[in-house]
Amino acid sequence: GMSLPDQVKLEITEADPVVRGQTDAESDKPAMLENGIRVLVPPFIAAGERIIVETNEITYVRRAE
């Protein structure tokens, strides 16, 4: 079998624009990763940025350095 790392660094290829007036508690937006998977990200993340994704839950962790 093959096992994946717990976290991977991926680039955002598409990110929806931020909707004005959203509060921080409900402001996650969909974004497309370079591998074709969609993930919810905070509003400050834009296309072209690299992020860390948790592979077990397919969730945003943080911006990549």
Side-chain angles (χ1 to χ4, degrees):
M2 185 173 84
S3 61
L4 295 173
D6 290 335
Q7 297 180 345
V8 293
K9 186 186 305 186
L10 295 166
E11 184 174 335
I12 301 289
T13 57
E14 297 175 27
D16 288 353
V18 176
V19 177
R20 289 186 71 190
Q22 284 183 327
T23 63
D24 286 346
E26 56 185 78
S27 64
D28 285 347
K29 63 181 184 178
M32 179 72 70
L33 299 172
E34 63 185 281
N35 62 0
I37 294 176
R38 285 202 170 273
V39 63
L40 292 176
V41 297
F44 56 83
I45 299 295
E49 291 191 63
R50 295 184 67 77
I51 63 169
I52 304 296
V53 176
E54 196 275 315
T55 58
N56 293 316
E57 300 291 323
I58 315 297
T59 55
Y60 167 86
V61 176
R62 66 181 182 276
R63 274 185 174 150
E65 299 173 3

